[in-house]
Amino acid sequence: MKPTNMIIMFGLVLFLIIMLMACASLHTGKVTTDGMVKITKKRIPMDAKVMALCFYHPELYSPHTMAWADVFANAKVIDYRRDNPKEFVYPIGSMFIKKKYSKSKKQEKPDEIGTVMVKKTNTGKVTDWEFNFLRLNDGKLLKPKTPLGQYSCIECHQAYESRGYISRESEFAMQEFLSSESTK
């Protein structure tokens, strides 16, 4: 076999192995901030309205109560917003993660639970997004449980329709990130 053919064959085999590993990782039900880009320069406070909703329901675990957050976005989100600065029709696969920090705890260590939202379809509705809690220590996704009559992630994010269902705080962080990128 010629050396060029061997290199091509090796490349194809390596490519197939990488693709299989990537596909296998998609089905683990785990999410990490690896490969995500932190878009907040400094921690941002959660939306006061959201904190108030969560604060008045102490029987529920809430990652929003008195929380500050670091916001992360994947490359799909950043590339889309860089190319479409005035548009909010995020492509399928867009992902935001918020690592939450309680004011009452040390700010250096994130709380055990964060939040993640991933765009799954593109119908123009808030239900295009999947919302989950994220256990930060192992990357396991935890479905939010919303007792009857309580607010859900979808109900709150519905108010952000004009921004593609992304919170005002996350949008400000994205704008700041993109503007700092252009001044480099």
Side-chain angles (χ1 to χ4, degrees):
M1 200 183 244
K2 292 182 179 179
T4 27
N5 289 345
M6 286 179 65
I7 292 171
I8 291 171
M9 185 64 84
F10 178 75
L12 286 172
V13 169
L14 185 60
F15 174 77
L16 286 171
I17 290 169
I18 291 169
M19 291 303 291
L20 287 170
M21 289 172 60
C23 289
S25 70
L26 290 175
H27 299 290
T28 62
K30 294 188 176 187
V31 174
T32 67
T33 54
D34 296 344
M36 302 286 286
V37 177
K38 183 177 168 190
I39 62 171
T40 44
K41 283 186 179 182
K42 58 183 182 175
R43 291 194 186 117
I44 58 172
M46 295 304 299
D47 185 306
K49 180 178 125 186
V50 174
M51 281 197 310
L53 286 171
C54 297
F55 184 73
Y56 290 113
H57 299 288
E59 71 280 4
L60 301 176
Y61 169 76
S62 172
H64 299 307
T65 306
M66 299 305 291
W68 289 75
D70 284 330
V71 181
F72 295 80
N74 66 1
K76 193 167 272 218
V77 168
I78 294 167
D79 292 344
Y80 171 76
R81 289 308 305 284
R82 190 181 294 125
D83 296 340
N84 304 282
K86 304 269 189 227
E87 300 294 321
F88 297 98
V89 184
Y90 288 94
I92 294 171
S94 295
M95 182 187 306
F96 289 89
I97 294 177
K98 286 186 180 176
K99 277 188 174 182
K100 307 295 173 63
Y101 298 82
S102 296
K103 280 184 125 179
S104 61
K105 293 185 179 181
K106 287 185 177 181
Q107 290 289 337
E108 295 80 39
K109 186 175 182 297
D111 294 339
E112 190 169 321
I113 303 289
T115 56
V116 61
M117 58 186 292
V118 180
K119 183 95 178 254
K120 296 291 189 170
T121 60
N122 222 351
T123 65
K125 298 177 182 172
V126 70
T127 53
D128 289 346
W129 293 91
E130 182 178 278
F131 299 89
N132 290 292
F133 290 146
L134 173 65
R135 196 164 56 205
L136 296 171
N137 61 354
D138 64 4
K140 184 170 177 161
L141 291 175
L142 309 167
K143 291 278 186 198
K145 292 184 176 134
T146 307
L148 198 57
Q150 299 296 327
Y151 287 92
S152 70
C153 301
I154 288 175
E155 287 171 312
C156 286
H157 279 265
Q158 184 74 41
Y160 308 134
E161 181 179 7
S162 65
R163 288 183 298 279
Y165 305 103
I166 304 304
S167 71
R168 176 177 60 240
E169 290 76 12
S170 294
E171 173 56 19
F172 290 158
M174 178 60 73
Q175 291 299 321
E176 185 177 29
F177 173 80
L178 292 173
S179 69
S180 71
E181 219 183 32
S182 64
T183 59
K184 289 182 180 176

